Amino acid sequence: MAAQDTLADVAAPPTAVTPRPRGHRRPGWTPWLYLAPALVVLGGLLVYPVYQLGLISLLTYTQAQVSGGEPVRFQGFGNYAALFGDDQFWSVLLATVGFAAACVVSTLAVGCALAVLLTRVRALPRLALMLAALGAWATPAVTGSTVWLFLFDPDFGPVNRVLGLGDHSWTYGRSSAFLLVLLEVVWCSFPFVMVTMYAGIRAVPAEVLEAAALDGASQWRIWRSVLAPLLRPILTVVAVQSVIWDFKVFTQIYVMTNGGGIAGQNLVLNVYAYQKAFASSQYGLGSAIGVVVLLVLLAVTLVHLRLLRGQGEEL
């Protein structure tokens, strides 16, 4: 009897599909309708300025063209040819890459170490460290740079007095000036890494850490063999964000080295572009530098997305 019922079910015609009600909107358009206002705002704030940046980089556009004394001329990739043929550009690019790499490594090291420390201290010290870090994070770049300049001032700064350095000027030498800016950048950047990594560590099951500790693993071994692999997606995100932020540093370098240091020894790409565009009135050349920075950061973002896809994240 059961076999007959099964055969009857198989032979039965399929149930009719309920027709879609009239006026039902296709699901594929619904997300775009919600995103439309944001896309319009982003188009006005991002797409148009990028278009203008690329357009000006292809023109002969100096103070003479701005004032109307000479006509604007299209020169194609002439600004890029002049830029890539300038030895100073390659020197500034190399300095920018090295400075950004040092900032990223230092920020990740300090942020991750303090995130682990937050999991080891009691509630009150943890709250105090969190508030102090968030205060550093919320400080405007100009204010933070000015404060750090005062701390390391050769005449009135407390750092030289404590270290017994006399009237040593930290901004005179190229390496010491970059080091001073690096310390300020790390100071205002590590809270993002610390808070993000702390949240990730708290999400790791306690049983996993207890098992590693019972096996005799040291704290460094637990971080290297247990926490770091589990937190790799978060580490990737904070690393890429730090690369983007530190590669386009402008305010700290401009304020703390007085526009790029003595004879431009502390120039980075954004300050270099500012000097070419506004100090020298070579707006086309400054725009070309801006396009190069944009392309570099776009490449970093694409690498970030590829890493996320390789880790199985939905994009």
Side-chain angles (χ1 to χ4, degrees), residues 79-103:
N79 286 322
Y80 294 95
L83 184 65
F84 295 147
D86 186 4
D87 293 336
Q88 187 183 17
F89 166 75
W90 295 107
S91 175
V92 172
L93 177 61
L94 182 62
T96 304
V97 172
F99 176 74
C103 288

Side-chain angles (χ1 to χ4, degrees), residues 270-281:
N270 273 354
V271 180
Y272 184 55
Y274 176 85
Q275 287 193 352
K276 290 295 183 182
F278 297 102
S280 303
S281 298

Side-chain angles (χ1 to χ4, degrees), residues 31-236:
W32 292 104
L33 292 177
Y34 286 109
L35 290 174
L39 292 176
V40 172
V41 174
L42 289 177
L45 296 179
L46 296 178
V47 177
Y48 182 72
V50 170
Y51 162 75
Q52 286 292 331
L53 181 72
L55 178 62
I56 295 176
S57 70
L58 302 175
L59 303 175
T60 301
Y61 202 70
T62 63
Q63 188 61 39
Q65 282 76 29
V66 173
S67 61
E70 295 181 8
V72 177
R73 296 188 303 273
F74 178 81
Q75 62 171 342
F77 294 100
N79 286 322
Y80 294 95
L83 184 65
F84 295 147
D86 186 4
D87 293 336
Q88 187 183 17
F89 166 75
W90 295 107
S91 175
V92 172
L93 177 61
L94 182 62
T96 304
V97 172
F99 176 74
C103 288
V104 170
V105 173
S106 302
T107 302
L108 291 179
V110 173
C112 291
L114 291 178
V116 175
L117 178 63
L118 287 176
T119 63
R120 299 287 188 269
V121 298
R122 296 181 179 274
L124 188 59
R126 180 167 60 247
L127 178 62
L129 180 56
M130 281 281 207
L131 293 177
L134 293 178
W137 195 13
T139 302
V142 174
T143 305
S145 301
T146 305
V147 170
W148 276 78
L149 274 180
F150 169 75
L151 292 175
F152 288 84
D153 185 84
D155 297 321
F156 307 103
V159 174
N160 281 5
R161 295 182 182 181
V162 172
L163 299 180
L165 296 178
D167 58 351
H168 172 72
S169 176
W170 290 82
T171 58
Y172 183 79
R174 184 171 188 262
S175 299
S176 60
F178 269 130
L179 176 61
L180 182 59
V181 179
L182 181 145
L183 293 176
E184 200 280 335
V185 171
V186 172
W187 174 76
C188 67
S189 301
F190 83 86
F192 169 74
V193 179
M194 183 191 73
V195 172
T196 306
M197 295 304 300
Y198 174 70
I201 293 173
R202 298 297 295 179
V204 175
E207 295 80 4
V208 176
L209 302 179
E210 292 176 0
L214 290 175
D215 288 341
S218 62
Q219 294 298 325
W220 167 247
R221 185 62 184 273
I222 291 175
W223 166 260
R224 183 171 61 88
S225 302
V226 179
L227 287 176
L230 292 175
L231 299 175
R232 187 173 301 159
I234 301 178
L235 276 170
T236 302

Side-chain angles (χ1 to χ4, degrees), residues 236 302-315:
T236 302
L302 293 177
V303 171
H304 175 211
L305 295 177
R306 184 157 188 167
L307 289 174
L308 289 180
R309 180 175 297 177
Q311 294 169 0
E313 299 285 342
E314 293 184 5
L315 303 180

